[in-house]
Amino acid sequence: MKRKIQTLIILLFSSFPLSFASAASCNDEGVWLQVLGSGGPEIDDGRASSGYLVWQDGKARVLVDLGSGSLARFEQSGASLNDLDVILLTHLHADHSNDLPALIKSSFFTRRDRDLSLYGPTGNKLMPSVTGFVQNLLGQDGAFRYLNDFLDGSKPYRLLPSDIDVSLKEITRVSKNDGFQVSAIPVNHGPIPAIAWRIDIDGKSVVFSGDMSNKKASLWRLAKQADILVAHHAIAEKANPVARNLHMPPSEIGRIAAKASVKQLVLSHRMKRTFGKEDETLSIIRKKYSGPVKFADDLQCFNLND
Ligand SMILES: [Zn+2]
């Protein structure tokens, strides 16, 4: 009987991480990075797809990517739609963008009354631009046209999408918004238009690579001296050429982190092809970069105030 009770207690507590996660907000003071989704598109890895928050003094101000499952993590993080200043999408693969309409739908049940900016890449034959994407979803002929009021001004706030030109070679300063600066640079993600983002806030900086190979060799310029570089670690070193055209291997991540002299490296967008190879990944990165390296998990908080 005693053993049965012990087993029950273990079972109860082993099912608790999600419940505990409901209290997984970052500290109330200063600037924090929170990982909402540390996984890729796989749905059998126990991780949400790509999503991140930048917190300042207890408010989640910047949301980067909104892949499947990351909205549930947003809820667990204690973040509020009312506090968000901007949403940044690195690219429009479903595992980076498809919780967006659900976030807008949630507006029926919030008191947000100021416009919400959304930035993402321009399009090509394979992908719409982010403004086209929003029209495809929420426009008058969109799949979720019942949410069109959030574009035309008849609701208390509008979603305001803008495209960042992926043909640009230089860093684009996107907005200087109430104490923080958002900057962008195009990166190579095979045939998919993609943007890396930097947020400078309260003297701290965090950079998001998004999915990318390093064929444009552009990220290190955006990431110069950043407090944290979140690099997408979707492939192991011995990946095939198709995967290498889409993603950067650990050696490339280490090279970028070193060249940019980032203070800390966070590896996210983790996938089954990299799990179990953490020691190998680390030793390859260590050949180039000697700073702290962390493997991200959902809802993990990183302190930028040290
Ligand atoms: Zn992608």
Side-chain angles (χ1 to χ4, degrees), residues 38-57:
S38 59
E42 293 157 336
I43 56 168
D44 54 356
D45 62 354
R47 292 168 188 266
S49 299
S50 186
Y52 307 95
L53 289 172
V54 178
W55 291 81
Q56 183 186 31
D57 296 336

Side-chain angles (χ1 to χ4, degrees), residues 91 93 96 189 211:
H91 63 295
H93 270 153
H96 295 255
H189 184 33
D211 292 0

Side-chain angles (χ1 to χ4, degrees), residues 128-284:
S129 63
V130 76
T131 52
F133 178 70
V134 168
Q135 280 301 318
N136 291 345
L137 293 170
L138 312 180
Q140 286 179 345
D141 297 317
F144 303 109
R145 47 190 174 270
Y146 78 103
L147 298 173
N148 182 247
D149 288 354
F150 290 100
L151 296 184
D152 71 8
S154 52
K155 285 285 180 189
Y157 84 91
R158 291 171 300 166
L159 181 68
L160 297 177
S162 303
D163 299 331
I164 301 296
D165 185 350
V166 295
S167 70
L168 296 175
K169 301 232 171 359
E170 298 307 316
I171 293 170
T172 304
R173 310 268 175 224
V174 174
S175 69
K176 188 133 180 105
N177 185 339
D178 196 16
F180 69 87
Q181 168 79 59
V182 175
S183 310
I185 202 162
V187 291
N188 180 276
H189 184 33
I192 305 301
I195 299 278
W197 293 104
R198 176 179 179 126
I199 293 98
D200 287 274
I201 182 166
D202 218 0
K204 310 296 174 191
S205 51
V206 55
V207 173
F208 301 88
S209 74
D211 292 0
M212 54 169 271
S213 72
N214 197 30
K215 284 188 180 164
K216 286 192 178 172
S218 54
L219 180 62
W220 75 273
R221 288 190 281 137
L222 187 74
K224 263 186 202 168
Q225 310 286 341
D227 291 295
I228 293 180
L229 168 61
V230 180
H232 280 191
H233 172 44
I235 57 172
E237 194 66 26
K238 287 182 187 141
N240 66 49
V242 175
R244 269 180 174 253
N245 190 40
L246 291 165
H247 297 290
M248 51 189 167
S251 57
E252 207 66 66
I253 294 174
R255 193 172 293 127
I256 295 164
K259 195 167 181 182
S261 301
V262 300
K263 295 194 185 114
Q264 187 176 169
L265 184 56
V266 172
L267 302 178
S268 190
H269 202 287
R270 302 171 64 189
M271 296 185 65
K272 285 196 286 186
R273 55 200 178 191
T274 68
F275 290 127
K277 294 181 178 158
E278 286 78 4
D279 289 346
E280 175 193 303
T281 294
L282 206 50
S283 74
I284 292 168

Side-chain angles (χ1 to χ4, degrees), residues 7-46:
T7 307
L8 186 64
I9 289 171
I10 289 166
L11 280 174
L12 272 173
F13 276 83
S14 66
S15 67
F16 262 18
L18 287 180
S19 314
F20 282 149
S22 65
S25 298
C26 299
N27 192 297
D28 272 352
E29 287 185 12
V31 179
W32 294 73
L33 159 70
Q34 186 166 28
V35 178
L36 296 180
S38 59
E42 293 157 336
I43 56 168
D44 54 356
D45 62 354

Side-chain angles (χ1 to χ4, degrees), residues 17-26 34-37 48-49 51-53 55 58 60 63 65-84 99 102-103 105-107 109-110 298-299 301:
L18 287 180
S19 314
F20 282 149
S22 65
S25 298
C26 299
Q34 186 166 28
V35 178
L36 296 180
S49 299
Y52 307 95
L53 289 172
W55 291 81
L63 172 60
D65 277 354
L66 204 48
S68 46
S70 58
L71 192 58
R73 299 294 190 224
F74 182 95
E75 184 176 342
Q76 291 168 321
S77 78
S80 164
L81 177 61
N82 296 342
D83 294 335
L84 276 186
D99 274 358
L103 179 75
K105 166 75 185 192
S106 78
S107 307
F109 310 98
T110 67
D298 288 14
L299 292 173
C301 289

